[in-house]
Amino acid sequence: RIARQLQDGLFARQVARISSARPANRARHYDVLVVGAGFAGAVMAERIASGSGKSVLVIDKRPHIAGNAYDHHDDAGILVHKYGPHIFHTNSRDILDYLSRFTGWRPYEHRVLAYVDGQLVPMPINRTTLNALYGMNLETEEEAAAYLQSVAIDVGEVRNSRDTVVSQVGQDLYAKFFEGYTRKQWGVDPRELDKSVAARVPARTNTDDRYFTDAHQCMPDKGYTRMFRKMLNHPQIDVLTGQGYDDLPETISWEHLVWTGPIDEYFHHRLGHLPYRSLRFEHETLPQEQVQPVATVNYPDYDVPHTRITEFKHLTGQQAEVTSIMREYPADEGDPYYPVPNPAAQDMYRRYAALARDCPEVTFVGRLATYRYYNMDQIVGQALATWRRLDARWRLESLS
Ligand code: FAD
C-alpha cells in the first residue's frame, strides 16, 4: 500500500511539474487550446501533437486529468473510481488498439446483480432472473421468450420509457426492476422519459449474466489515470489542471480551440441552460475482504435512496484485507453527468449545435459538447474521427 501511495505521490508531483509550466505572467502561444482533460480532450491533444505536430495546451478545471474516468488510490490504498465505476467495453478493434499504445489491459467482464424481493438476481433480466423470481424452471430460450411474450403488454405505439419496458417484459418486471430505479435516476416517472432511455438494458432469454456483450471487455491494468498520463506525456503538450477556461491568464493565446466542456457554457447559456441529471457519490472503506459477490449491485426499490453500490476490487483484481465501496445517489444539482433526453432539451441542443457550426475556429467534441450520453469507446471514436477531419483541414489550409 505504501509503495502504491508513493507511486501516486510521485504521479501527483509529475502532473504538478507539468502544471507548473503555468505561465502566470509569461506570454505563451499554442497552436491549439484543449478545454477538458477527459477522453475527448486527451485523445484530441495526443493526436494533434503526435499526428499533426502542433503545440497543445490542455486545461481542466478539476484538479486532475482523466475527466470522469479518473481513478486514484484512496486512504486505504484501494484503487477507486472517483466519479462512478468505469468499465471499458467496445466492439471496435481499432479503438482498443489505439488505447493499447498507452496501457496494458486486464481482462474483465462486468456483472451486475439487482436486489429484488429479498434476493440478488442477474441484471439485465435473463432466464436465471425469471426462474429465481417466479420459482419457474424455464430451460430453453424458447420457453423464456414464450414467458416474456405472455406477460408483455401491447401498448400500441411505444411513446415513452415505460411503454418500451412493459411492451417487452410486462408490468410486474417493470415495477420490480425499472419503475423505482428510473424514478430515482431521473427524478421523473418513466412515462415522462423518452423511449430510448430504457432501450439500453433489454431482457435476455439465455443465461448470459454479463452486463455488456461487446467483443472486447477489459480494464487498463494500471488504471485509467496512468493511461491518460501516458497519452498526455508528449513534448508538444502542456497540461494545466485546476484551471478553468474563464480564468485562463490573458498571456496565453492560441490559434484553434477544442472545446469538450458543456456546449451551452461556451455560448454563455444564451439560449438557456441545457438540463442535466447529476450524481452524489459516497465512498466508504470496510474492514473485510469482500462485501458483495459482484462489482455492482443495483437497488431498484424506490424507498432505498441509492441506485447502486460498487465494490472496486472486483473491477481491478486488487488483493487487500479491506475493501472500498461507493454508493450512488441521483441528484438534481451538481456536476453534469446525464443529458436529459426529452424533446425540449434536444431542441435547445440543436440550436446550440447550429451556433457551433458558425464557429470554424472552435471544434466541439465529447459528451458535454455534443450533449449526449456516450460510452468511453464511443468518445474515443468520436475524437479520432474529429481529429482526422481537423487534420485534413489544416493540411489543405497549409497548401493554400
Ligand atoms: P469528461 O470525462 O466529462 O471530460 C470533460 C472534462 O472537461 C471534465 O474533466 C471537466 O472538468 C472539463 N471541463 C468542463 N468544462 C470546463 C471548463 N470550462 N474549463 C476547464 N475544464 C472544463 N462509459 C463507459 O464506457 N463505461 C462505463 O462503465 C461508464 N460508466 C460511467 C458511469 C458514470 C456514473 C458516468 C456519469 C459515465 C460513465 N461512462 C462510462 C461514460 C464516460 O464517463 C464518458 O464516456 C467519458 O467520460 C466522456 O469523456 P469526455 O471527455 O467527453 O467527458
Side-chain angles (χ1 to χ4, degrees):
R1 186 198 311 168
I2 288 168
R4 237 178 263 120
Q5 283 174 347
L6 277 173
Q7 274 182 341
D8 275 2
L10 182 65
F11 168 51
R13 278 198 297 282
Q14 282 169 347
V15 171
R17 184 166 56 74
I18 301 170
S19 303
S20 73
R22 186 186 300 264
N25 38 36
R26 185 162 56 87
R28 176 79 209 259
H29 185 77
Y30 292 89
D31 295 321
V32 179
L33 172 68
V34 174
V35 176
F39 268 101
V43 172
M44 288 297 288
E46 189 281 326
R47 286 291 72 218
I48 291 169
S50 300
S52 309
K54 292 183 181 288
S55 62
V56 186
L57 173 63
V58 182
I59 62 167
D60 201 299
K61 62 183 173 189
R62 286 170 169 165
H64 55 73
I65 58 173
N68 279 348
Y70 174 69
D71 54 13
H72 69 109
H73 289 99
D74 65 11
D75 290 345
I78 307 293
L79 186 62
V80 298
H81 297 185
K82 183 165 181 180
Y83 304 102
H86 277 67
I87 294 101
F88 187 77
H89 56 100
T90 187
N91 283 316
S92 165
R93 184 77 230 181
D94 287 351
I95 289 170
L96 184 69
D97 285 347
Y98 170 73
L99 291 176
S100 303
R101 297 181 198 177
F102 315 106
T103 185
W105 299 98
R106 166 180 190 267
Y108 172 74
E109 289 181 326
H110 194 48
R111 285 181 169 76
V112 175
L113 295 172
Y115 188 69
V116 174
D117 292 350
Q119 49 179 328
L120 291 174
V121 291
M123 179 70 196
I125 295 165
N126 67 9
R127 205 158 76 228
T128 314
T129 316
L130 297 175
N131 285 337
L133 276 183
Y134 298 115
M136 297 189 292
N137 190 23
L138 305 172
E139 286 182 346
T140 62
E141 295 215 25
E142 291 71 29
E143 284 174 20
Y147 175 77
L148 288 174
Q149 217 173 349
S150 74
V151 293
I153 296 172
D154 180 2
V155 292
E157 188 196 346
V158 173
R159 278 163 309 181
N160 54 48
S161 196
R162 176 193 178 266
D163 290 351
T164 307
V165 179
V166 296
S167 64
Q168 289 180 55
V169 302
Q171 176 61 33
D172 195 57
L173 288 168
Y174 164 74
K176 283 181 168 40
F177 286 87
F178 295 94
E179 190 176 22
Y181 195 93
T182 311
R183 276 177 63 203
K184 284 196 281 190
Q185 180 81 346
W186 294 99
V188 293
D189 189 275
R191 286 183 181 82
E192 293 169 49
L193 280 176
D194 191 89
K195 56 186 176 187
S196 64
V197 175
R200 286 178 64 213
V201 189
R204 295 175 186 158
T205 50
N206 58 20
T207 54
D208 186 352
D209 63 348
R210 296 170 307 155
Y211 197 70
F212 305 111
T213 52
D214 302 53
H216 312 288
Q217 306 189 31
C218 44
M219 299 288 285
D221 59 357
K222 294 193 173 60
Y224 288 99
T225 309
R226 292 292 167 101
M227 178 176 79
F228 275 77
R229 185 183 150 211
K230 268 199 154 178
M231 230 188 262
L232 294 170
N233 184 15
H234 188 283
Q236 291 271 73
I237 300 177
D238 283 344
V239 181
L240 286 181
T241 52
Q243 176 64 68
Y245 177 70
D246 280 349
D247 52 0
L248 200 57
E250 285 178 8
T251 49
I252 296 179
S253 56
W254 56 90
E255 300 290 320
H256 191 85
L257 177 64
V258 172
W259 181 265
T260 78
I263 189 167
D264 52 337
E265 184 185 319
Y266 178 80
F267 292 107
H268 303 289
H269 306 108
R270 73 170 83 149
L271 304 173
H273 282 75
L274 285 168
Y276 277 96
R277 195 74 179 140
S278 191
L279 290 168
R280 180 170 65 80
F281 302 110
E282 190 180 271
H283 289 263
E284 189 180 358
T285 298
L286 300 163
Q288 60 201 86
E289 263 194 80
Q290 190 181 308
V291 286
Q292 56 189 40
V294 292
T296 298
V297 175
N298 282 3
Y299 291 83
D301 186 343
Y302 186 72
D303 293 331
V304 177
H306 48 268
T307 47
R308 55 181 184 170
I309 298 180
T310 296
E311 184 177 19
F312 291 102
K313 280 162 64 183
H314 292 280
L315 305 181
T316 58
Q318 191 175 349
Q319 303 290 321
E321 283 170 12
V322 297
T323 193
S324 293
I325 61 165
M326 188 190 69
R327 295 181 189 81
E328 282 176 55
Y329 299 85
D332 291 328
E333 305 287 323
D335 280 356
Y337 289 120
Y338 299 108
V340 176
N342 67 34
Q346 290 308 315
D347 184 56
M348 190 189 289
Y349 167 67
R350 274 191 287 276
R351 289 186 292 128
Y352 274 119
L355 290 179
R357 281 193 289 278
D358 285 338
C359 299
E361 73 288 359
V362 185
T363 296
F364 294 86
V365 56
R367 66 178 187 103
L368 296 165
T370 54
Y371 194 62
R372 183 152 172 206
Y373 182 89
Y374 284 113
N375 286 319
M376 295 179 282
D377 66 320
Q378 296 172 307
I379 290 296
V380 174
Q382 188 192 71
L384 290 172
T386 305
W387 168 73
R388 274 185 221 110
R389 284 195 297 274
L390 196 57
D391 187 60
R393 190 177 111 193
W394 283 332
R395 283 173 199 276
L396 267 180
E397 283 169 2
S398 73
L399 293 176
S400 56

